[in-house]
Amino acid sequence: DTGVSQDPRHKITKRGQNVTFRCDPISEHNRLYWYRQTLGQGPEFLTYFQNEAQLEKSRLLSDRFSAERPKGSFSTLEIQRTEQGDSAMYLCASRAGLSTDTQYFGPGTRLTVL
Amino acid sequence: GEDVEQSLFLSVREGDSSVINCTYTDSSSTYLYWYKQEPGAGLQLLTYIFSNMDMKQDQRLTVLLNKKDKHLSLRIADTQTGDSAIYFCAESNPSGSARQLTFGSGTQLTVLP
């Protein structure tokens, strides 16, 4: 399967712990996005990578959040000192180059902070 | 600013047509999308329409775009129980390099037997 994959699918953690999620985009998609989706809402943009460069960050991305894409392929999203308000679905999406805006989403990582 | 709005719920009988509506405010949007989300899953791309088009048909799906009113609709013909899901309308932000998507809150479609 060559779709977007995310790991883990579910994560339960205690408040104050750090968590890290991984996203593997569609092969050769050089653009990668992270979104957050809370219950009953649509996804909200967090950050964007073009190859290894993080080019845009939403104001939702507090300083406890950090994202990387070190080799321009997979990406990680780390949340430090988790809070209950961080509980959400974290979605990764990728797209090909300039000729299309179409984004393809992974299955998401469901984070629950106790 | 960007704001995408959808009605929250829609119920239809199996075999009927479903029409899900969406309004958006960013007139400079280039692409508008419909995604489907089943419980606990990610978003599945259903279809999209470029802003210079009025209509796009893809099998059971028909997308209508009224740019003057900034109104987008998704019609599902012969709705089946497997179509029960949340449907999201989204617009791409044409400014900047990210072209991130702005989503509505989703419409929960329930198909009754």
Side-chain angles (χ1 to χ4, degrees):
Chain A
D1 183 61
T2 56
V4 179
S5 61
Q6 293 186 244
D7 184 67
R9 294 292 307 278
H10 303 274
K11 179 70 178 178
I12 300 174
T13 191
K14 292 182 179 179
R15 190 175 51 189
Q17 298 294 306
N18 299 345
V19 294
T20 300
F21 310 139
R22 176 179 169 125
C23 170
D24 287 87
I26 294 172
S27 299
E28 298 174 359
H29 276 194
N30 61 351
R31 287 151 167 83
L32 186 147
Y33 301 78
W34 286 98
Y35 291 82
R36 182 176 72 184
Q37 185 182 22
T38 53
L39 201 61
Q41 299 298 316
E44 295 175 290
F45 169 72
L46 291 178
T47 191
Y48 163 72
F49 288 86
Q50 183 173 321
N51 299 309
E52 65 276 9
Q54 186 175 19
L55 296 184
E56 289 203 31
K57 292 194 282 189
S58 159
R59 66 185 186 283
L60 294 176
L61 208 70
S62 77
D63 56 6
R64 295 185 298 105
F65 287 67
S66 63
E68 295 182 343
R69 194 181 183 200
K71 296 181 180 179
S73 56
F74 72 91
S75 175
T76 58
L77 177 68
E78 181 183 17
I79 309 174
Q80 296 183 326
R81 305 181 303 281
T82 51
E83 301 173 356
Q84 288 185 323
D86 297 330
S87 295
M89 174 82 91
Y90 290 84
L91 293 161
C92 177
S94 70
R95 74 174 171 97
L98 290 172
S99 62
T100 176
D101 287 359
T102 303
Q103 296 178 29
Y104 296 89
F105 283 79
T109 295
R110 168 76 65 189
L111 173 65
T112 302
V113 182
L114 302 176
Chain B
E2 301 169 353
D3 196 13
V4 179
E5 295 189 353
Q6 303 177 236
S7 52
L8 292 180
F9 302 100
L10 176 65
S11 291
V12 298
R13 293 272 178 203
E14 190 174 14
D16 289 348
S17 293
S18 308
V19 180
I20 303 171
N21 295 299
C22 169
T23 58
Y24 61 98
T25 57
D26 191 340
S27 58
S28 59
S29 293
T30 51
Y31 286 94
L32 294 143
Y33 296 87
W34 285 103
Y35 286 87
K36 175 184 179 183
Q37 187 176 38
E38 298 186 55
L43 274 68
Q44 174 192 351
L45 175 67
L46 288 178
T47 188
Y48 64 91
I49 189 166
F50 190 57
S51 58
N52 67 353
M53 299 170 64
D54 298 323
M55 184 183 85
K56 181 179 180 182
Q57 188 156 1
D58 185 1
Q59 299 182 342
R60 292 191 298 124
L61 305 178
T62 302
V63 179
L64 296 178
L65 175 61
N66 182 329
K67 285 196 71 175
K68 175 177 171 291
D69 295 337
K70 298 189 183 68
H71 183 265
L72 182 74
S73 68
L74 175 69
R75 177 177 180 269
I76 306 173
D78 186 26
T79 314
Q80 302 297 308
T81 54
D83 295 324
S84 291
I86 301 176
Y87 290 80
F88 291 97
C89 164
E91 60 179 350
S92 66
N93 181 350
S95 61
S97 61
R99 307 211 178 179
Q100 69 268 29
L101 299 178
T102 300
F103 287 84
S105 296
T107 299
Q108 172 78 60
L109 174 64
T110 302
V111 182
L112 305 171

